[in-house]
């Protein structure tokens, strides 16, 4: 991890964020490629994978984003470090709330009658892909913002911690790519198209990462707000999308254990390496 950090240390944070989020996208593609080797995905494992994804996102939201936002804001506004963090957190949550209400989409384990967003006649595969795409926006944004924060010398944030976050996001993107491609396959989509759409759902991560890194690099005062914004967006996704998707069958306990494992792994990575 340190060797990778040394390679990225002297690179412009926008380019570093692009490299890191390209990695998370490629891991999603690798997960989606499993559709070529497996005929189906057991529902229990799908719920466990989704739970794991939620756990990683929850842990990253606090240790990688919200806590550094509060610490940095405290330096800028002594005694009021909580204020920028609260504003940013609410802003990120409301942004995803608005996106969720406007963009037509359908969560993985939901019936077609439960599609969300504006009314549309788009088919189920398209709506599934859009749901995961919305999910991936805060992930890419979080990685980009953290690289920008590291470049600005924020206490508690380093290139290593940004890489750890990218690694954690990538770790949960592998089962996520698989969990997107397989339902599409069950809908009659070919293996090649299942893979294509599965990896395509994460292509938004490099774009969001570049935007996040550029914003905080060139507009330093927004840094604590941006860190908390990414945290709020990720928490919204976990509570509104990931957890409900795991609670619609008989494997709810397994999904909860998957979440706990994901949370623990991300916490350990961030605390020990970040």
């Amino acid at each position: 991890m340190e060797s990778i950090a040394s390679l990225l240390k002297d690179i412009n944070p926008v380019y570093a964020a692009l490299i890191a989020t390209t990695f998370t996208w490629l891991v999603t593609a690798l997960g989606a490629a499993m559709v070529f080797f497996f005929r189906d995905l057991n529902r229990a494992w799908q719920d466990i994978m989704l739970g794991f994804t939620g756990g990683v996102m929850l842990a990253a939201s606090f240790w990688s984003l919200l806590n550094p936002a509060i610490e940095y804001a405290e330096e800028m506004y002594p005694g009021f470090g909580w204020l920028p963090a609260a504003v940013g957190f609410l802003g990120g949550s409301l942004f995803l709330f608005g996106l969720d209400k406007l963009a037509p989409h359908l969560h993985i384990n939901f019936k077609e009658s439960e599609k969300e967003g504006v009314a549309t006649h788009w088919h189920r595969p398209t709506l599934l892909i859009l749901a995961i795409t919305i999910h991936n926006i805060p992930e890419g944004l979080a990685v980009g913002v953290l690289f920008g924060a590291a470049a600005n010398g924020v206490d508690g944030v380093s290139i290593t911690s940004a890489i750890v976050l990218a690694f954690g996001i990538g770790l949960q993107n592998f089962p996520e790519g698989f969990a997107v491609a397989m339902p599409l396959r069950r809908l009659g989509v070919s293996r090649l198209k299942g893979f294509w759409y599965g990896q395509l759902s994460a292509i938004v991560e490099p774009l969001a990462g570049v935007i996040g890194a550029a914003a905080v690099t060139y507009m330093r005062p927004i840094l604590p707000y941006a860190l908390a914004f990414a945290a709020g967006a990720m928490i919204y996704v976990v509570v509104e999308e990931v957890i409900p998707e795991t609670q619609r069958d008989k494997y709810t306990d397994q999904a909860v254990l998957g979440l706990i494992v994901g949370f623990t792994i991300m916490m350990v990575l961030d605390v020990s390496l970040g």
Side-chain angles (χ1 to χ4, degrees):
M1 198 70 73
E2 291 297 332
S3 59
I4 299 174
S6 63
L7 290 174
L8 296 179
K9 185 176 181 180
D10 298 321
I11 297 178
N12 183 293
V14 175
Y15 295 137
L18 177 61
I19 293 170
T21 48
T22 298
F23 162 76
T24 63
W25 164 52
L26 289 175
V27 177
T28 305
L30 186 61
M34 294 299 102
V35 75
F36 293 114
F37 305 101
F38 296 91
R39 295 179 62 87
D40 201 359
L41 177 61
N42 180 276
R43 179 59 184 267
W45 279 108
Q46 179 177 308
D47 286 347
I48 290 170
M49 288 177 177
L50 288 171
F52 181 86
T53 292
V56 170
M57 293 176 72
L58 283 175
S61 295
F62 177 73
W63 274 280
S64 298
L65 300 167
L66 198 54
N67 193 48
I70 294 171
E71 292 181 358
Y72 184 66
E74 189 64 35
E75 296 178 7
M76 298 173 63
Y77 313 103
F80 293 92
W82 53 269
L83 183 57
V87 171
F89 188 85
L90 290 172
S93 302
L94 291 174
F95 171 73
L96 259 292
F97 174 78
L99 200 58
D100 186 65
K101 295 302 178 186
L102 293 174
H105 63 283
L106 178 66
H107 300 313
I108 291 174
N109 293 325
F110 285 43
K111 299 175 182 177
E112 192 157 358
S113 60
E114 298 176 283
K115 59 187 178 184
E116 301 177 13
V118 297
T120 178
H121 296 295
W122 292 348
H123 296 300
R124 184 181 178 90
T126 303
L127 295 172
L128 287 171
I129 295 162
L130 284 173
I132 301 300
T133 300
I134 293 171
H135 172 150
N136 285 326
I137 290 173
E139 294 179 4
L141 186 65
V143 173
V145 167
L146 209 61
F147 270 99
N152 277 289
V154 176
D155 288 341
V157 178
S158 64
I159 292 295
T160 301
S161 62
I163 293 171
V164 167
L165 177 61
F167 179 77
I169 295 296
L171 192 66
Q172 57 94 28
N173 274 2
F174 180 85
E176 184 177 278
F178 195 14
V180 175
M182 272 303 177
L184 294 175
R185 176 65 178 154
R186 286 198 295 270
L187 291 172
V189 174
S190 68
R191 292 182 187 274
L192 182 59
K193 284 187 176 180
F195 162 73
W196 175 254
Y197 292 135
Q199 63 81 31
L200 194 63
S201 67
I203 195 66
V204 71
E205 289 193 6
L207 177 61
V210 166
I211 291 173
V216 300
T217 299
Y218 301 111
M219 294 181 285
R220 181 169 178 151
I222 72 167
L223 221 168
Y225 298 93
L227 286 166
F229 183 96
M234 288 180 71
I235 293 291
Y236 184 91
V237 167
V238 172
V239 177
E240 197 277 335
E241 177 185 335
V242 177
I243 292 177
E245 288 179 5
T246 67
Q247 303 297 303
R248 298 174 67 86
D249 209 318
K250 59 184 179 181
Y251 305 109
T252 57
D253 290 343
Q254 291 92 323
V256 172
L257 291 175
L259 186 146
I260 291 171
V261 170
F263 186 97
T264 303
I265 289 175
M266 188 62 208
M267 176 184 66
V268 171
L269 285 174
D270 199 285
V271 174
S272 64
L273 299 177

